[in-house]
Amino acid sequence: MEAETQETDVIQEISYVALSVVLILLAVTAYVSRPSVLHTTARRARERFVAGLPLGTFVIVSVNVVFFVFAQRAYTGDVLTVPYLSWSYVYPTGFLTGPVGHAGVPHIVGNLTATVVFAPVVEYVVGHKIDLSGERALHPLVRALVGVPLAWYGVGVFVSFFSWGPSIGFSGVVYFFFGFAVVFYPVVSVGLLVVTDAFRTLLGALRRPVTASTAGESYITPSWANIALDGHVLGLLVGVGVAVLVARRRGANLDAYRVGTAVFVLGLAQGLYAVWTVDGSTYVLYRAFGVAFVALLAVLVAYFVEIESSSPPFTQLDSFAPRRTVSVSTLLVPIVVICVIGLVTGLGTVSTVDDVDTVEVDGYSVWYGEDVENERVVSVPFIDAAPVNFTVSGVIVTNEDRGIWYRAASKGRLRTDPSRSFLVGGLGWYDEVTVERVGLESSTGNTSYSVLVTTRNETRAVYDSPPAPTATTVDGWGVNLTVDGGERAVRMRRGDRTRTVPLRNTSFTVEGVTFTTRDGRILAGVGDETRAAVGRITGARQDLG
């Protein structure tokens, strides 16, 4: 095993060096063969940017990275995400931090890769040295370092505020960049998608030159089920709307056909077709319906661009023809619908959960349940709305003061990975919570287990499942396996007599029946007769002491 590890490390080092050398040679070759391209790009950048650099992009990317590394404590290896989601309007911190928070390294790498590629295009259009009407605006440096990043952050807060349910990440702003850039440069935007994918692949190769994975049972949620479709569509539509307003003020010519085509291609490439539902643990993707939705979205955007790019300003009401009413509605109605639904879901509250054992951590309640209803409900003033709930099984974390209800680990994931840790906390503080599944599995496949929660050096059992029958009888005694409070035991029953004896690493005899644990198996027999396997030890804490 040690030799294999050393061999893998050597391969990784060679791969990293080889890839770095190839990239450097590619850059040098590109410059030597076409130096005019770099010089022309630098000249145009200096015309629009301070020092020819997209400083606003640098600032907003830096804010995301700093927040992720320090506020979310990514430098420790565990990412704190719970307090930085937009849970409810009773918890404004979530809406203010959600746009710059991320769920993990792949999440932030994906968002910032697209930001690095598309944000400079938007920043180029906006410029540091002129305002939207083409006149000189704020001091260029102030505009670059403060104005542009604040505008983009404002878009993120807007999308976070009206998202459907809890959200985290910069993707709402990324889709704003998509929508803005596609109006001015539709063909270039499609090409930039390829650049973005190539950039992600390069980063992945540099981060992990060699990756090994083992096939096995998986309880991972499908990637398309983690897409916040509402926030992405909202960001895209807002980006299109703002870009068209800027184009009209500057008298820019727009090609509606190309814009619509680019929106369709971009929507398919970026997963806007991911219309899905969930029924228990089954996720259903309506791909055909989603593609039709993207096509309709592209048509509506193209129509809006066609009409609005050549129409008088909104202030000239006498020229507001019926077709302009339709045109504005094609963009405004979807935005309003998304925002209204988001407003209603943002009023969600968490109902008190009774009859469960919980571990309290500064307002957070950590517990375990199976087939329990999600108690995050919609509370609309003056309306007695019936909550739309769904059932979940696993480790649940709730916080009534913040409107938080989420599953930290599913039942299936905890079975395959019986010891898991996650963070809870807030701005400036955190606590680590460890959850363990201590179990037994009978020879018939039945299971019995306890779920233990450890925090601040204190461990408590929050769930005990029923005993696991073995369908085995030894000397007239029926044998079951049970785990109670994390303690594994054998439960014997004959007639009205019941004995429950904790399992140990050594053999022991109860009522003439001898039990032995060997290589994780539990054997039972009488005297020197052949012992039958009645079960095995599973989960965490397999040392019986």
Side-chain angles (χ1 to χ4, degrees), residues 438-489:
V438 177
L440 293 171
E441 182 178 341
S442 72
S443 55
T444 57
N446 298 303
T447 59
S448 180
Y449 55 92
S450 293
V451 177
L452 309 181
V453 175
T454 301
T455 181
R456 298 180 179 176
N457 299 320
E458 179 183 359
T459 299
R460 283 185 54 195
V462 296
Y463 182 85
D464 294 316
S465 72
T470 66
T472 299
T473 300
V474 182
D475 195 24
W477 290 90
V479 178
N480 291 339
L481 304 179
T482 182
V483 186
D484 188 3
E487 185 78 17
R488 296 179 174 92

Side-chain angles (χ1 to χ4, degrees), residues 91 133 141 159 190 208 332 497 519:
Y91 181 57
S133 62
L141 197 57
V159 174
V190 173
R208 294 180 178 177
L332 193 59
R497 300 176 62 192
D519 299 327

Side-chain angles (χ1 to χ4, degrees), residues 56-124:
T57 301
F58 295 163
V59 170
I60 203 68
V61 168
S62 299
V63 169
N64 276 267
V65 171
V66 170
F67 189 88
F68 181 71
V69 171
F70 295 103
Q72 295 191 252
R73 306 187 64 82
Y75 69 89
T76 65
D78 293 321
V79 181
L80 177 61
T81 60
V82 182
Y84 303 125
L85 279 86
S86 56
W87 291 105
S88 170
Y89 293 142
V90 300
Y91 181 57
T93 301
F95 294 100
L96 296 176
T97 59
V100 293
H102 288 85
V105 173
H107 190 202
I108 190 172
V109 169
N111 280 341
L112 294 190
T113 299
T115 299
V116 169
V117 174
F118 277 86
V121 177
V122 180
E123 192 170 356
Y124 178 83

Side-chain angles (χ1 to χ4, degrees), residues 172-228:
V173 186
V174 171
Y175 275 81
F176 171 84
F177 295 150
F178 291 161
F180 194 104
V182 81
V183 169
F184 281 91
Y185 305 107
V187 177
V188 171
S189 296
V190 173
L192 290 179
L193 288 177
V194 178
V195 174
T196 302
D197 287 341
F199 196 12
R200 288 172 179 164
T201 302
L202 287 175
L203 288 178
L206 291 172
R207 287 181 59 241
R208 294 180 178 177
V210 179
T211 301
S213 60
T214 303
E217 187 177 17
S218 175
Y219 292 90
I220 299 176
T221 302
S223 59
W224 41 262
N226 292 319
I227 295 176

